[in-house]
Amino acid sequence: MLKKITAISLALTLTACANTDALDANISSLSNKVDALSAQVADLETQQQSAAADAKAVKAAAMQASADAKAANERIDNVVASYKK
């Protein structure tokens, strides 16, 4: 019985040692994939910040155009009112 347990323990030890290279390769592969995804996330964050800044600029331009149009309409209304008098 003791010989069987020793033989099984030896076989498991040899199997575990043989798998460390494969495990290291898998870990390295996964680390590379995580690094690539991290780079993609950083790039997407930069693009999102740029898009948000562009949207903010467009909103400000639209608000300014609206204010300018309102002022122009008031001037036109004043010109039309002066002709009626």
Side-chain angles (χ1 to χ4, degrees):
M1 181 81 164
L2 185 58
K3 288 183 181 180
K4 288 183 182 180
I5 294 174
T6 305
I8 291 172
S9 297
L10 180 62
L12 289 174
T13 303
L14 291 175
T15 303
C17 291
N19 286 337
T20 57
D21 291 338
L23 181 61
D24 288 342
N26 285 338
I27 290 173
S28 177
S29 175
L30 289 174
S31 293
N32 289 340
K33 289 178 183 179
V34 167
D35 291 342
L37 288 173
S38 295
Q40 287 178 352
V41 167
D43 185 44
L44 288 173
E45 286 176 344
T46 301
Q47 290 177 5
Q48 187 274 333
Q49 289 173 352
S50 176
D54 291 346
K56 188 175 181 179
V58 167
K59 182 179 178 181
M63 302 247 330
Q64 183 63 45
S66 176
D68 291 346
K70 185 176 180 180
N73 284 337
E74 287 177 4
R75 284 193 304 270
I76 290 172
D77 288 345
N78 288 338
V79 169
V80 170
S82 67
Y83 284 124
K84 289 182 181 178
K85 291 181 180 180

